[in-house]
């Protein structure tokens, strides 16, 4: 019995093993069959279930003006393609039926190419079975894209037609080139920031990309979000579009009028340091002006006479000079350590013996350089330390890539006590704006600090960051230095000097009849090619100042480069005048109470003539006069004289009209002049309009009744 049982058990195991071998052989056979006969079938199935990851681009943030106007924004643009390699039996027949109408429609949308040219181009891609064949080589707008998508055949689904697109975020500036170098730009093909605020705040504007899983199921594409993109934030700048446009127009008009090479204009808000306008214009081929470089922040130049203000400030603050002290400037040429220092009027005989205050008014090179050389010649490092103390050499830490730091060298000695790279002439020439290099924005920051009672504010380009209409980060106004640039007394004296430069000196063109202006002109010869003497003549012409002088709101610098002879800081002062009056007219809204504010009263020009009448009018305008003249006028008796305008009143002076002699009527209005001459028995003829510039009968000669006196009016 045991033998029988063992035999049956062995047979059972045999058949189990045999069955397992058969199953194994079948599995191997099935796998071999799948790998060979069914290989193509399963490849196609895999392609239908293909899954990959794609990056989802976020929307780039906008750049806004200070009042919320768009200065740079992203809009979608597209490149359009055809996929002629789709495994779709109907595509070829549909394409052959519609190709002519498609090409005709494309030619209407893109008239640069004929329908026949489109057909040749697309048939080439069709014959090559290209998967990504460009229909049009350039990017197109959304509106153009919708026109193309509406054409026959293209209007079908992507899987049916093969028409597909590639989307880009295109950067556009609604105000065109306005402030282009400061706002910045993008590399179009790469969608990456190139310069300006676009580059400085790129990480904030760009946002964070998202991630999608794209899966192909049969003939449909499914996008499965993994990580959502985070759109970029908006930045709100300090730029005022109206002020920017005003400054650009005023500058370009001057550059065209006087055939200049390039110009810079920057407008800053005194209290905050906000940059309200920044213009950089260079002449390009075809006599057009464009923003090719941000000269305002990146161009190092010898500033010229606008630097004299810093020199005088240092001398006053150190107590080594006084505005009342007098300096001999002789005939406009003065020997200075083997070289000749010249004033701009040396051919006319110079200024002679003048005060330091007057030297500032007329921008005397000799007057300023002699004061600095005589007080700091043996210790030039003390002078440069004083310049550093004013903040003029400070690193402003601007957010714009490529900005230049001021270069004002400090004199140093070697171990033997000898000066390194320093000469006796270095100090006097440095004091008048040579031997040093500054970008225009550093010079403006210095003058803005003077207007701000010595408090130097860092130039601010961006006020805050916004996300979905809410402020997420602010950039408050900041100081460059914690201390004032100089003693308060010194700052007040310099403010007064700058007002006199405009009212009595070289800066008259910057002035306004509506408000007071303070500032300084500057002219520096630009070294070109072989140097100052051999490289050709060019000048850097500047005016830096602020307005209104009594309570400054804005500071401004205008710089112009002009080749050849003929030109002065007055050209820049004229642009400053246009900008300042435009800004005040557009942006200052005065109430009725301002008309009665003593500080806001504009003192009118008073001609020579009847001072009784002038005093009567002035008193009713609320303007102070040196004496009370209204009573005399009320009696009807003319009081002949002249007037002198001061900051807050008018001084009236009486002139005796001698009997029997021809009176002096130059400077009078036509009415007073005719009245006075005819009252003596003379006859009068008038030529021109305005006030009297010349009279044919010489004043002071013996009077003869009936004589005809011709008055030339201008």
């Amino acid at each position: 019995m045991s033998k029988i049982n063992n035999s049956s058990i062995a047979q059972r195991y045999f058949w189990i093993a045999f069955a397992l071998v058969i199953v194994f052989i079948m599995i191997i056979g099935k796998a071999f069959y799948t790998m060979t006969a069914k290989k193509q079938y399963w490849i196609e199935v895999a392609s239908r279930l293909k899954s990959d990851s794609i990056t989802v681009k976020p929307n780039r943030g906008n750049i806004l003006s200070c009042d919320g106007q768009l200065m740079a924004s992203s809009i979608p643009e597209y490149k359009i393609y055809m996929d002629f390699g789709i495994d779709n039996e109907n595509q070829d027949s549909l394409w052959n039926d519609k190709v002519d109408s498609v090409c005709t429609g494309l030619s209407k949308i893109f008239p640069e190419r004929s329908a026949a040219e489109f057909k040749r181009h697309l048939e080439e891609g069709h014959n090559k079975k290209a998967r990504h064949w460009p229909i049009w080589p350039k990017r197109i707008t959304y509106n153009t894209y919708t026109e193309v998508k509406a054409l026959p055949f293209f209007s079908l689904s992507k899987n049916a037609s093969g028409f597909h697109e590639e989307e880009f975020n295109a950067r556009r500036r609604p105000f065109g080139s306005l402030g282009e170098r400061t706002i910045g730009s993008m590399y179009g093909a790469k969608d990456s920031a190139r310069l300006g605020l676009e580059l400085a705040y790129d990480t904030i504007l760009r946002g964070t990309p998202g991630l999608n899983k794209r899966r192909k199921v049969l003939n449909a594409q499914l996008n499965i979000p993994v990580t959502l993109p985070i759109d970029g934030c908006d930045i709100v700048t300090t730029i005022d579009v109206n002020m920017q446009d005003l400054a650009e127009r005023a500058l370009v008009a001057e550059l065209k009028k006087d055939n200049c090479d390039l110009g810079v204009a920057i407008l800053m808000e005194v209290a905050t340091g906000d940059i309200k306008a920044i213009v950089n214009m260079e002449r390009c081929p075809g006599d057009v002006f464009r923003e090719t470089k941000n000269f305002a922040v990146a161009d190092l130049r010898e500033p010229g006479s606008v630097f004299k203000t810093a020199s005088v400030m240092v001398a006053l603050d150190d107590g080594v000079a006084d505005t009342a002290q007098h300096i001999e400037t002789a005939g406009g040429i003065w020997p200075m350590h083997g070289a000749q220092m010249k004033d701009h009027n040396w051919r006319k005989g110079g200024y002679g013996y003048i005060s330091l205050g007057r030297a500032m008014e007329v921008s005397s090179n000799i007057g300023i350089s002699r004061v600095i050389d005589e007080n700091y010649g043996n210790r030039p490092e003390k002078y440069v330390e004083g310049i550093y103390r004013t903040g003029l050499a400070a690193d402003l830490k601007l957010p714009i890539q490529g900005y230049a730091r001021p270069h004002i060298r400090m004199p140093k000695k070697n171990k033997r006590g000898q000066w390194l790279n320093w000469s006796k002439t270095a100090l006097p020439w440095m004091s008048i704006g040579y031997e040093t290099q500054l970008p225009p924005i550093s010079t403006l920051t210095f003058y803005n600090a003077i207007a701000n009672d010595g408090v130097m504010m860092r130039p601010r380009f961006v006020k805050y960051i916004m996300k979905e209409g809410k402020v997420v980060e602010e950039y408050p106004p900041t100081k460059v230095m914690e201390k004032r640039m100089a003693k308060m007394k010194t700052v007040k004296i310099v403010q007064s000097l700058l007002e006199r430069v405009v009212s009595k000196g070289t800066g008259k063109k910057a002035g306004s009849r509506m408000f007071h202006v303070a500032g300084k002109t500057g002219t520096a010869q630009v070294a070109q090619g072989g140097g100052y003497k051999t490289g050709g003549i060019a000048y850097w012409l500047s005016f830096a100042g602020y307005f209104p002088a009594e309570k400054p709101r804005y500071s401004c610098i205008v710089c112009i480069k002009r080749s050849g002879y003929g030109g002065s800081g007055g050209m820049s002062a004229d642009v400053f005048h246009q900008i300042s009056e435009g800004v005040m007219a557009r942006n200052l809204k005065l109430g009725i109470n301002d008309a009665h504010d003593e500080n806001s009263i504009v003192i009118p020009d008073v001609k020579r003539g009847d001072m009784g009448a002038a005093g009567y009018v002035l008193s009713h305008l609320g303007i102070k006069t040196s004496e009370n003249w209204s009573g005399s006028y009320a009696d009807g008796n003319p009081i002949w004289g002249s007037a002198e305008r001061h900051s807050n009143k008018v001084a009236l002076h009486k002139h005796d009209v001698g009997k029997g002699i021809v009176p002096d009527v130059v400077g009078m209005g036509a009415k007073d002049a005719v009245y006075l001459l005819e009252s003596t028995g003379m006859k009068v003829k008038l030529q021109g309009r305005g006030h009297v510039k010349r009279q044919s009968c010489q004043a002071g000669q013996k009077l003869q009744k009936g004589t005809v006196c011709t008055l030339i009016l201008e």
Side-chain angles (χ1 to χ4, degrees), residues 193-223:
R194 181 169 169 239
L195 49 83
L197 296 177
E198 292 276 21
L199 180 59
Y201 294 87
D202 184 50
T203 54
I204 293 172
L205 292 164
R206 188 194 310 143
T208 305
L211 185 67
N212 277 2
K213 281 284 186 181
R214 177 177 287 180
R215 176 164 293 176
K216 187 175 183 182
V217 180
L218 297 178
N219 288 325
Q221 290 280 3
L222 297 180
N223 287 324

mmCIF file of all heavy atoms in Angstrom, residues 193-223:
data_model
loop_
_atom_site.group_PDB
_atom_site.id
_atom_site.type_symbol
_atom_site.label_atom_id
_atom_site.label_comp_id
_atom_site.label_asym_id
_atom_site.label_seq_id
_atom_site.Cartn_x
_atom_site.Cartn_y
_atom_site.Cartn_z
ATOM 1 N N ALA A 193 14.732 90.881 -18.642
ATOM 2 C CA ALA A 193 14.965 92.313 -18.457
ATOM 3 C C ALA A 193 16.334 92.711 -18.991
ATOM 4 O O ALA A 193 17.311 91.965 -18.863
ATOM 5 C CB ALA A 193 14.840 92.668 -16.985
ATOM 6 N N ARG A 194 16.383 93.914 -19.564
ATOM 7 C CA ARG A 194 17.614 94.377 -20.203
ATOM 8 C C ARG A 194 18.274 95.506 -19.438
ATOM 9 O O ARG A 194 19.470 95.517 -19.220
ATOM 10 C CB ARG A 194 17.280 94.823 -21.634
ATOM 11 C CG ARG A 194 18.464 95.313 -22.432
ATOM 12 C CD ARG A 194 18.080 95.476 -23.886
ATOM 13 N NE ARG A 194 19.112 96.192 -24.619
ATOM 14 C CZ ARG A 194 18.929 97.329 -25.262
ATOM 15 N NH1 ARG A 194 17.733 97.885 -25.261
ATOM 16 N NH2 ARG A 194 19.911 97.912 -25.907
ATOM 17 N N LEU A 195 17.499 96.518 -18.999
ATOM 18 C CA LEU A 195 18.085 97.669 -18.324
ATOM 19 C C LEU A 195 17.009 98.444 -17.566
ATOM 20 O O LEU A 195 15.833 98.112 -17.607
ATOM 21 C CB LEU A 195 18.803 98.588 -19.333
ATOM 22 C CG LEU A 195 18.051 99.005 -20.610
ATOM 23 C CD1 LEU A 195 17.140 100.182 -20.366
ATOM 24 C CD2 LEU A 195 19.036 99.350 -21.718
ATOM 25 N N GLY A 196 17.450 99.498 -16.857
ATOM 26 C CA GLY A 196 16.530 100.391 -16.157
ATOM 27 C C GLY A 196 15.822 99.716 -14.992
ATOM 28 O O GLY A 196 16.298 98.739 -14.406
ATOM 29 N N LEU A 197 14.650 100.246 -14.629
ATOM 30 C CA LEU A 197 13.877 99.694 -13.525
ATOM 31 C C LEU A 197 13.383 98.283 -13.829
ATOM 32 O O LEU A 197 13.159 97.494 -12.906
ATOM 33 C CB LEU A 197 12.694 100.619 -13.209
ATOM 34 C CG LEU A 197 13.054 102.028 -12.707
ATOM 35 C CD1 LEU A 197 11.789 102.853 -12.498
ATOM 36 C CD2 LEU A 197 13.869 101.968 -11.422
ATOM 37 N N GLU A 198 13.194 97.961 -15.101
ATOM 38 C CA GLU A 198 12.820 96.593 -15.475
ATOM 39 C C GLU A 198 13.859 95.597 -14.949
ATOM 40 O O GLU A 198 13.512 94.530 -14.438
ATOM 41 C CB GLU A 198 12.720 96.456 -17.004
ATOM 42 C CG GLU A 198 11.574 97.210 -17.648
ATOM 43 C CD GLU A 198 10.266 96.432 -17.614
ATOM 44 O OE1 GLU A 198 10.132 95.517 -16.783
ATOM 45 O OE2 GLU A 198 9.375 96.764 -18.417
ATOM 46 N N LEU A 199 15.135 95.963 -15.071
ATOM 47 C CA LEU A 199 16.209 95.084 -14.614
ATOM 48 C C LEU A 199 16.403 95.179 -13.108
ATOM 49 O O LEU A 199 16.593 94.162 -12.429
ATOM 50 C CB LEU A 199 17.515 95.437 -15.340
ATOM 51 C CG LEU A 199 18.743 94.605 -14.975
ATOM 52 C CD1 LEU A 199 18.498 93.124 -15.247
ATOM 53 C CD2 LEU A 199 19.966 95.090 -15.763
ATOM 54 N N ALA A 200 16.341 96.397 -12.562
ATOM 55 C CA ALA A 200 16.581 96.595 -11.130
ATOM 56 C C ALA A 200 15.554 95.848 -10.279
ATOM 57 O O ALA A 200 15.882 95.328 -9.210
ATOM 58 C CB ALA A 200 16.570 98.086 -10.803
ATOM 59 N N TYR A 201 14.308 95.796 -10.748
ATOM 60 C CA TYR A 201 13.234 95.154 -9.984
ATOM 61 C C TYR A 201 12.717 93.908 -10.694
ATOM 62 O O TYR A 201 11.542 93.546 -10.560
ATOM 63 C CB TYR A 201 12.102 96.158 -9.738
ATOM 64 C CG TYR A 201 12.513 97.298 -8.834
ATOM 65 C CD1 TYR A 201 13.104 98.441 -9.350
ATOM 66 C CD2 TYR A 201 12.349 97.213 -7.462
ATOM 67 C CE1 TYR A 201 13.512 99.483 -8.525
ATOM 68 C CE2 TYR A 201 12.740 98.242 -6.623
ATOM 69 C CZ TYR A 201 13.326 99.373 -7.164
ATOM 70 O OH TYR A 201 13.731 100.390 -6.331
ATOM 71 N N ASP A 202 13.589 93.240 -11.430
ATOM 72 C CA ASP A 202 13.180 92.104 -12.253
ATOM 73 C C ASP A 202 12.571 90.973 -11.422
ATOM 74 O O ASP A 202 11.551 90.395 -11.797
ATOM 75 C CB ASP A 202 14.385 91.576 -13.045
ATOM 76 C CG ASP A 202 14.008 90.449 -13.988
ATOM 77 O OD1 ASP A 202 13.039 90.615 -14.737
ATOM 78 O OD2 ASP A 202 14.676 89.400 -13.961
ATOM 79 N N THR A 203 13.193 90.641 -10.283
ATOM 80 C CA THR A 203 12.680 89.528 -9.475
ATOM 81 C C THR A 203 11.286 89.821 -8.932
ATOM 82 O O THR A 203 10.468 88.912 -8.752
ATOM 83 C CB THR A 203 13.630 89.234 -8.305
ATOM 84 O OG1 THR A 203 13.849 90.432 -7.550
ATOM 85 C CG2 THR A 203 14.964 88.720 -8.812
ATOM 86 N N ILE A 204 10.996 91.093 -8.668
ATOM 87 C CA ILE A 204 9.676 91.482 -8.158
ATOM 88 C C ILE A 204 8.645 91.481 -9.284
ATOM 89 O O ILE A 204 7.513 91.024 -9.119
ATOM 90 C CB ILE A 204 9.754 92.869 -7.499
ATOM 91 C CG1 ILE A 204 10.623 92.799 -6.232
ATOM 92 C CG2 ILE A 204 8.373 93.404 -7.166
ATOM 93 C CD1 ILE A 204 10.929 94.142 -5.620
ATOM 94 N N LEU A 205 9.040 91.992 -10.448
ATOM 95 C CA LEU A 205 8.125 92.087 -11.587
ATOM 96 C C LEU A 205 7.854 90.718 -12.219
ATOM 97 O O LEU A 205 6.760 90.458 -12.719
ATOM 98 C CB LEU A 205 8.698 93.028 -12.643
ATOM 99 C CG LEU A 205 8.774 94.513 -12.283
ATOM 100 C CD1 LEU A 205 9.704 95.239 -13.250
ATOM 101 C CD2 LEU A 205 7.390 95.147 -12.321
ATOM 102 N N ARG A 206 8.870 89.851 -12.219
ATOM 103 C CA ARG A 206 8.794 88.598 -12.969
ATOM 104 C C ARG A 206 7.784 87.614 -12.402
ATOM 105 O O ARG A 206 7.107 86.905 -13.138
ATOM 106 C CB ARG A 206 10.169 87.943 -13.000
ATOM 107 C CG ARG A 206 10.246 86.729 -13.928
ATOM 108 C CD ARG A 206 11.496 85.909 -13.686
ATOM 109 N NE ARG A 206 12.670 86.758 -13.691
ATOM 110 C CZ ARG A 206 13.713 86.568 -12.883
ATOM 111 N NH1 ARG A 206 13.687 85.587 -12.002
ATOM 112 N NH2 ARG A 206 14.763 87.347 -12.957
ATOM 113 N N GLY A 207 7.669 87.522 -11.107
ATOM 114 C CA GLY A 207 6.784 86.536 -10.498
ATOM 115 C C GLY A 207 7.434 85.163 -10.430
ATOM 116 O O GLY A 207 8.632 85.002 -10.675
ATOM 117 N N THR A 208 6.628 84.134 -10.122
ATOM 118 C CA THR A 208 7.129 82.761 -9.972
ATOM 119 C C THR A 208 6.410 81.847 -10.954
ATOM 120 O O THR A 208 5.170 81.784 -10.952
ATOM 121 C CB THR A 208 6.896 82.261 -8.534
ATOM 122 O OG1 THR A 208 7.488 83.179 -7.614
ATOM 123 C CG2 THR A 208 7.497 80.885 -8.347
ATOM 124 N N PRO A 209 7.154 81.089 -11.799
ATOM 125 C CA PRO A 209 6.515 80.196 -12.775
ATOM 126 C C PRO A 209 5.756 79.060 -12.086
ATOM 127 O O PRO A 209 6.103 78.638 -10.974
ATOM 128 C CB PRO A 209 7.686 79.652 -13.601
ATOM 129 C CG PRO A 209 8.814 80.598 -13.343
ATOM 130 C CD PRO A 209 8.612 81.116 -11.944
ATOM 131 N N GLY A 210 4.734 78.540 -12.749
ATOM 132 C CA GLY A 210 3.999 77.377 -12.265
ATOM 133 C C GLY A 210 4.397 76.132 -13.029
ATOM 134 O O GLY A 210 5.263 76.176 -13.922
ATOM 135 N N LEU A 211 3.784 75.009 -12.688
ATOM 136 C CA LEU A 211 4.116 73.740 -13.340
ATOM 137 C C LEU A 211 2.834 72.967 -13.637
ATOM 138 O O LEU A 211 1.973 72.802 -12.764
ATOM 139 C CB LEU A 211 5.027 72.905 -12.438
ATOM 140 C CG LEU A 211 5.554 71.589 -13.031
ATOM 141 C CD1 LEU A 211 6.507 71.875 -14.192
ATOM 142 C CD2 LEU A 211 6.258 70.762 -11.957
ATOM 143 N N ASN A 212 2.698 72.490 -14.886
ATOM 144 C CA ASN A 212 1.580 71.651 -15.304
ATOM 145 C C ASN A 212 2.085 70.298 -15.771
ATOM 146 O O ASN A 212 3.174 70.211 -16.375
ATOM 147 C CB ASN A 212 0.811 72.299 -16.459
ATOM 148 C CG ASN A 212 -0.191 73.328 -15.969
ATOM 149 O OD1 ASN A 212 -0.287 73.583 -14.780
ATOM 150 N ND2 ASN A 212 -0.921 73.921 -16.901
ATOM 151 N N LYS A 213 1.326 69.254 -15.483
ATOM 152 C CA LYS A 213 1.570 67.952 -16.085
ATOM 153 C C LYS A 213 0.659 67.836 -17.296
ATOM 154 O O LYS A 213 -0.560 67.935 -17.182
ATOM 155 C CB LYS A 213 1.252 66.831 -15.094
ATOM 156 C CG LYS A 213 2.325 66.574 -14.058
ATOM 157 C CD LYS A 213 3.490 65.813 -14.669
ATOM 158 C CE LYS A 213 4.497 65.423 -13.577
ATOM 159 N NZ LYS A 213 5.641 64.705 -14.153
ATOM 160 N N ARG A 214 1.250 67.654 -18.457
ATOM 161 C CA ARG A 214 0.453 67.531 -19.681
ATOM 162 C C ARG A 214 0.398 66.056 -20.072
ATOM 163 O O ARG A 214 1.445 65.416 -20.252
ATOM 164 C CB ARG A 214 1.057 68.365 -20.802
ATOM 165 C CG ARG A 214 0.320 68.224 -22.125
ATOM 166 C CD ARG A 214 0.903 69.116 -23.188
ATOM 167 N NE ARG A 214 0.571 70.509 -22.949
ATOM 168 C CZ ARG A 214 0.973 71.504 -23.745
ATOM 169 N NH1 ARG A 214 1.744 71.258 -24.775
ATOM 170 N NH2 ARG A 214 0.617 72.736 -23.472
ATOM 171 N N ARG A 215 -0.796 65.521 -20.189
ATOM 172 C CA ARG A 215 -0.967 64.108 -20.532
ATOM 173 C C ARG A 215 -1.823 63.991 -21.784
ATOM 174 O O ARG A 215 -2.873 64.627 -21.888
ATOM 175 C CB ARG A 215 -1.620 63.357 -19.383
ATOM 176 C CG ARG A 215 -1.921 61.901 -19.684
ATOM 177 C CD ARG A 215 -2.198 61.126 -18.429
ATOM 178 N NE ARG A 215 -1.003 61.016 -17.607
ATOM 179 C CZ ARG A 215 -0.970 60.445 -16.406
ATOM 180 N NH1 ARG A 215 -2.084 59.952 -15.896
ATOM 181 N NH2 ARG A 215 0.139 60.377 -15.712
ATOM 182 N N LYS A 216 -1.329 63.164 -22.708
ATOM 183 C CA LYS A 216 -2.057 62.931 -23.948
ATOM 184 C C LYS A 216 -2.858 61.649 -23.808
ATOM 185 O O LYS A 216 -2.303 60.565 -23.640
ATOM 186 C CB LYS A 216 -1.087 62.817 -25.119
ATOM 187 C CG LYS A 216 -1.772 62.738 -26.475
ATOM 188 C CD LYS A 216 -0.740 62.748 -27.581
ATOM 189 C CE LYS A 216 -1.422 62.736 -28.939
ATOM 190 N NZ LYS A 216 -0.422 62.695 -30.036
ATOM 191 N N VAL A 217 -4.167 61.768 -23.842
ATOM 192 C CA VAL A 217 -5.063 60.621 -23.734
ATOM 193 C C VAL A 217 -5.838 60.508 -25.034
ATOM 194 O O VAL A 217 -6.631 61.408 -25.368
ATOM 195 C CB VAL A 217 -6.017 60.774 -22.531
ATOM 196 C CG1 VAL A 217 -6.947 59.569 -22.449
ATOM 197 C CG2 VAL A 217 -5.223 60.934 -21.250
ATOM 198 N N LEU A 218 -5.580 59.433 -25.762
ATOM 199 C CA LEU A 218 -6.095 59.273 -27.124
ATOM 200 C C LEU A 218 -5.664 60.475 -27.957
ATOM 201 O O LEU A 218 -4.490 60.719 -28.117
ATOM 202 C CB LEU A 218 -7.618 59.082 -27.091
ATOM 203 C CG LEU A 218 -8.094 57.805 -26.356
ATOM 204 C CD1 LEU A 218 -9.612 57.747 -26.333
ATOM 205 C CD2 LEU A 218 -7.501 56.561 -26.992
ATOM 206 N N ASN A 219 -6.589 61.288 -28.449
ATOM 207 C CA ASN A 219 -6.203 62.444 -29.262
ATOM 208 C C ASN A 219 -6.404 63.766 -28.530
ATOM 209 O O ASN A 219 -6.447 64.826 -29.148
ATOM 210 C CB ASN A 219 -7.010 62.456 -30.568
ATOM 211 C CG ASN A 219 -6.552 61.372 -31.510
ATOM 212 O OD1 ASN A 219 -5.375 61.047 -31.562
ATOM 213 N ND2 ASN A 219 -7.496 60.794 -32.254
ATOM 214 N N ALA A 220 -6.558 63.729 -27.225
ATOM 215 C CA ALA A 220 -6.796 64.954 -26.444
ATOM 216 C C ALA A 220 -5.626 65.215 -25.508
ATOM 217 O O ALA A 220 -4.979 64.283 -25.016
ATOM 218 C CB ALA A 220 -8.091 64.820 -25.649
ATOM 219 N N GLN A 221 -5.335 66.490 -25.283
ATOM 220 C CA GLN A 221 -4.288 66.911 -24.362
ATOM 221 C C GLN A 221 -4.936 67.383 -23.069
ATOM 222 O O GLN A 221 -5.789 68.265 -23.081
ATOM 223 C CB GLN A 221 -3.474 68.064 -24.960
ATOM 224 C CG GLN A 221 -2.597 67.670 -26.134
ATOM 225 C CD GLN A 221 -1.309 67.000 -25.707
ATOM 226 O OE1 GLN A 221 -1.098 66.782 -24.517
ATOM 227 N NE2 GLN A 221 -0.467 66.661 -26.669
ATOM 228 N N LEU A 222 -4.518 66.788 -21.961
ATOM 229 C CA LEU A 222 -5.031 67.190 -20.655
ATOM 230 C C LEU A 222 -3.926 67.870 -19.870
ATOM 231 O O LEU A 222 -2.825 67.323 -19.735
ATOM 232 C CB LEU A 222 -5.546 65.967 -19.877
ATOM 233 C CG LEU A 222 -6.723 65.200 -20.490
ATOM 234 C CD1 LEU A 222 -7.099 64.026 -19.591
ATOM 235 C CD2 LEU A 222 -7.919 66.128 -20.678
ATOM 236 N N ASN A 223 -4.211 69.080 -19.376
ATOM 237 C CA ASN A 223 -3.263 69.806 -18.531
ATOM 238 C C ASN A 223 -3.686 69.662 -17.072
ATOM 239 O O ASN A 223 -4.777 70.088 -16.693
ATOM 240 C CB ASN A 223 -3.210 71.290 -18.901
ATOM 241 C CG ASN A 223 -2.491 71.513 -20.217
ATOM 242 O OD1 ASN A 223 -1.529 70.805 -20.523
ATOM 243 N ND2 ASN A 223 -2.959 72.471 -20.997
#
